[in-house]
């Protein structure tokens, strides 16, 4: 769900909001530098502010992590807040794309800091380059050692990449159908992820082992 939402957000900001990346800040930094070198300071700011917002999102997620939250996991607080930000983005007209893109990148920064592992494996749900490297590395290890654990890890990484791409496909479809409000689909995915996080799979497995 998180990877689907990550791909959706990038498609939304790029296709519907003036070709700015919500997640791929390397691309934004590159385009910021290109426009800066050409003296196009307004266009440069168009890419700089989302980068700053992304950074602030990382900082906020880390701040939430350090709080003593008892009723729910701190990651649930982060993902629910992210969903609420995207609901706000859906209300911002296309004439205010800089604000919309900055808020979307802010939400992405929260997600990239909050969700960095799956089953103990370092993984990203908002970008693909690290997943592509790790997935390829594990597949190569499996080809050499025939260790099924390496194969499972490799497939996990490529599965997340496929989910991200699927989110981008959905994003393009819903942008054509819903326009400005398409980002609400991403907010819905995050809300669903918030609900799923109430399922304590590890706790249930521990109880089963305890009974045995």
């Amino acid at each position: 769900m998180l990877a689907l939402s990550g791909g959706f957000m990038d498609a939304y900001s790029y296709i519907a909001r003036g070709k700015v990346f919500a997640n791929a800040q390397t691309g934004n930094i590159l385009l910021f530098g290109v426009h800066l070198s050409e003296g196009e300071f307004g266009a440069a700011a168009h890419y700089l502010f989302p980068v700053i917002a992304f950074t602030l999102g990382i900082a906020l997620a880390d701040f939430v992590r350090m709080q003593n939250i008892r009723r729910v996991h701190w990651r649930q607080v982060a993902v629910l807040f992210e969903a609420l930000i995207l609901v706000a983005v859906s209300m911002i007209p296309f004439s205010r794309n800089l604000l919309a893109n900055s808020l979307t990148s802010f939400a992405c920064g929260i997600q990239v800091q909050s969700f960095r592992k799956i089953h103990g494996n370092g993984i990203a749900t908002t970008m693909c380059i690290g997943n592509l490297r790790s997935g390829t590395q594990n597949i190569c290890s499996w080809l050499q050692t025939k260790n099924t654990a390496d194969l499972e890890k490799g497939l996990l990484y490529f599965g997340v990449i496929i989910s991200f791409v699927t989110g981008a496909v959905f994003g393009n479809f819903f942008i054509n159908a819903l326009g400005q409000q398409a980002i609400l689909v991403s907010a819905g995915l995050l809300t669903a992820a918030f609900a799923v996080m109430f399922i304590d799979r590890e706790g249930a497995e521990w109880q089963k082992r305890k009974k045995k």
Side-chain angles (χ1 to χ4, degrees):
M1 291 180 190
L2 293 169
L4 279 170
S5 179
F8 197 110
M9 285 187 282
D10 245 354
Y12 178 79
S13 64
Y14 189 83
I15 298 170
R17 295 286 189 174
K19 299 190 182 302
V20 174
F21 295 105
N23 291 307
Q25 299 307 321
T26 301
N28 288 339
I29 292 170
L30 170 66
L31 293 169
F32 165 71
V34 169
H35 287 290
L36 195 65
S37 69
E38 295 179 352
E40 299 172 349
F41 301 113
H46 193 62
Y47 295 97
L48 175 62
F49 281 96
V51 174
I52 295 172
F54 187 88
T55 305
L56 292 175
I58 293 172
L60 177 63
D62 204 50
F63 174 78
V64 172
R65 178 185 63 82
M66 292 186 291
Q67 305 309 303
N68 186 22
I69 302 173
R70 296 183 179 181
R71 287 186 175 274
V72 295
H73 195 283
W74 71 269
R75 288 187 176 88
Q76 287 177 284
V77 176
V79 78
L80 186 60
F81 185 58
E82 183 185 356
L84 292 174
I85 292 171
L86 297 184
V87 171
V89 170
S90 73
M91 303 176 186
I92 300 173
F94 288 135
S95 58
R96 296 289 183 270
N97 279 347
L98 179 58
L99 175 61
N101 287 330
S102 296
L103 286 175
T104 306
S105 289
F106 181 67
C108 291
I110 293 173
Q111 183 170 320
V112 77
Q113 179 66 8
S114 300
F115 301 93
R116 297 185 294 176
K117 288 186 178 182
I118 296 178
H119 301 318
N121 300 299
I123 209 157
T125 59
T126 60
M127 56 194 75
C128 294
I129 186 169
N131 296 339
L132 185 60
R133 181 195 63 79
S134 297
T136 303
Q137 177 183 330
N138 279 282
I139 294 296
C140 289
S141 296
W142 170 70
L143 290 172
Q144 292 178 341
T145 65
K146 305 304 179 183
N147 186 342
T148 55
D150 291 329
L151 176 61
E152 290 174 357
K153 288 181 181 180
L155 294 176
L156 174 65
Y157 283 109
F158 281 106
V160 173
I161 292 172
I162 291 170
S163 295
F164 185 91
V165 174
T166 303
V169 173
F170 286 167
N172 191 30
F173 172 79
F174 280 104
I175 288 166
N176 291 327
L178 302 175
Q180 177 184 312
Q181 282 75 39
I183 195 65
L184 289 173
V185 176
S186 188
L189 288 168
L190 294 173
T191 304
F194 167 81
V196 167
M197 288 173 68
F198 280 104
I199 301 172
D200 187 2
R201 185 174 62 87
E202 292 180 355
E205 290 178 354
W206 182 82
Q207 288 293 339
K208 288 180 180 178
R209 290 195 297 268
K210 188 178 179 180
K211 289 179 181 179
K212 291 179 181 180

